């Protein structure tokens, strides 16, 4: 299916002085607008990994490992039975024997027994140590047990090592099991527990402060006046961060007042690793954040990026007591704000914690799409999966960068590069899912 024309999307961005509009080539240079790739690199080069700390394994879920975990012993530490049955010497089967008197029972958690008679067997339970001199386990379903004698049913396929989980077949003592930089999920914590790691060295949790700005914003429960709107950006940012595992957050609101803005920014810098500001960063007469950040001593890296949505994107850092804080000032429009969080802030948080870059995801355009301005476009998409395992993205152009209602229908956004204008159906592009 082909879009009839690019008009629906172009109309969403009429040629006005809206901060999300692409500037001319001349103003790009004058205003020091940088590319998406340059912004990404400047952020990455600025970041320093957060300090580490030791926590209880019970408190380590979702944290990033900062030490190497090695096996403290072989796994399994002994030859073990993989099912209930009898343990015997396979040599007796090779000699034609099929009936074996039971001389004992091996239970999981009990000391290892010994098979002193090669023509006998030991009843064994799943997980129990294989008796000395035994090298084969016959499952109970393949046996007839009468009067203390186990008889193997005819035609049962057996071999030496059958039903045996050999010692050290999973790992050997001293083998590296987990490397620094992995995120600790249930799987990794199970490994840590199995080697006796009651405490783990992990990255500190980043302290995140979220600010919204603007006299027009009121609390969620308030009844707004005709010229006011309810606050939603800070909740959306906080929820997206929490769903990714970043839960140490605080939320603030600043009115459009320079002195208050300067005071709050200065007081919070020492208590935050990341500050996320939503709004007040463009060129409006009450956009006081750039001045307040400069007064507080935050070193600006960039303020404008050739992208839509989200041209006004401010990034800088601040050092105190040999520890750096980072400031992301995102556009106030909800779509711009949410998109920039996913494109820049979440990857930065991963890097701060010592996580490797996440493997990129790609989706194919389901429809042809046209976009003429020479900037990078982040466009929300509806995702579909076909029977061949292909991921397809249907562009859903939003009305304006404040159109969070239509964006709520989408599953993420694709990134269309600035050096192209015609994007054919079936072309693959980077896809970033929303964290909701």
């Amino acid at each position: 299916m082909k879009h009839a024309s690019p008009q629906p999307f172009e109309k969403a961005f009429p040629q006005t002085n809206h901060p999300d509009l692409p500037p001319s080539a001349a103003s790009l240079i004058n205003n020091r607008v940088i590319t998406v790739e340059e912004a990404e690199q400047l952020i990455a080069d600025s970041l320093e990994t957060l300090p580490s700390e030791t926590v209880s394994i019970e408190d380590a879920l979702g944290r990033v490992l900062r030490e190497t975990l090695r096996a403290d012993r072989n796994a399994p530490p002994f030859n073990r039975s993989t099912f209930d049955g009898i343990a015997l010497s396979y040599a007796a089967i090779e000699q034609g024997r099929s009936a074996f008197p039971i001389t004992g029972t091996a239970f999981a958690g009990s000391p290892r027994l010994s098979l002193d008679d090669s023509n006998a067997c030991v009843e064994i339970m799943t997980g129990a140590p294989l008796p000395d001199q035994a090298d084969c386990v016959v499952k109970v379903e393949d046996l007839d047990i009468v009067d203390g004698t186990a008889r193997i049913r005819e035609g049962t396929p057996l071999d030496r090592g059958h039903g045996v989980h050999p010692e050290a077949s999973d790992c050997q003592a001293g083998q590296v099991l987990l490397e620094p930089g992995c995120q600790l999920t249930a799987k990794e914590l199970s490994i840590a527990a199995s080697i006796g790691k009651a405490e783990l060295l992990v990255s500190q949790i980043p302290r995140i402060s979220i600010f919204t700005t603007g006299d027009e914003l009121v609390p969620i429960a308030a009844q707004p006046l005709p010229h006011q709107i309810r606050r939603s950006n800070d909740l959306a940012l906080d929820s997206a961060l929490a769903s990714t595992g970043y839960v140490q957050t605080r939320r603030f609101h600043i009115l459009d007042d320079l002195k208050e803005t300067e005071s709050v920014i200065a007081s919070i810098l020492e208590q935050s690793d990341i500050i996320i500001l939503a709004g007040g960063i463009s060129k409006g007469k009450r956009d006081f954040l750039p001045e307040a950040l400069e007064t507080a001593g935050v070193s600006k890296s960039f303020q404008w990026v050739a992208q839509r949505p989200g041209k006004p994107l401010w990034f800088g850092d601040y050092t105190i007591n040999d520890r750096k804080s980072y400031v992301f000032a995102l556009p106030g429009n909800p779509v711009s704000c949410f998109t920039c969080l996913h494109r820049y802030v979440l990857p930065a948080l991963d890097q701060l914690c010592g996580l490797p870059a996440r493997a990129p995801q790609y989706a194919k355009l389901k429809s042809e799409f046209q976009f003429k301005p020479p900037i990078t476009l982040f466009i929300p998409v509806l995702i579909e999966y076909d029977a061949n395992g292909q991921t397809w993205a249907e562009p859903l152009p939003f009305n304006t960068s404040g159109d969070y209602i239509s964006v709520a229908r989408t599953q993420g956004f694709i990134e269309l590069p600035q050096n192209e204008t015609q994007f054919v159906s079936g072309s693959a592009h980077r896809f970033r899912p929303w964290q909701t």
Side-chain angles (χ1 to χ4, degrees), residues 46-87:
S46 175
L47 300 176
E48 296 178 358
T49 306
L50 289 171
S52 57
E53 62 181 348
T54 299
V55 301
S56 164
I57 191 172
E58 286 82 4
D59 298 323
L61 180 65
R63 305 289 285 272
V64 179
L65 186 66
R66 295 285 288 277
E67 63 175 315
T68 300
L69 298 191
R70 298 178 181 273
D72 63 331
R73 59 178 183 163
N74 293 339
F78 48 80
N79 294 331
R80 61 186 291 275
S81 176
T82 60
F83 36 69
D84 298 334
I86 59 170

Side-chain angles (χ1 to χ4, degrees), residues 21-34 283 304 306 311 374-375:
L21 286 177
S24 66
S27 63
L28 274 171
I29 297 173
N30 294 336
N31 290 311
R32 299 176 61 83
V33 178
I34 63 175
K283 293 182 177 180
W304 308 100
K311 177 190 169 187
I375 59 174

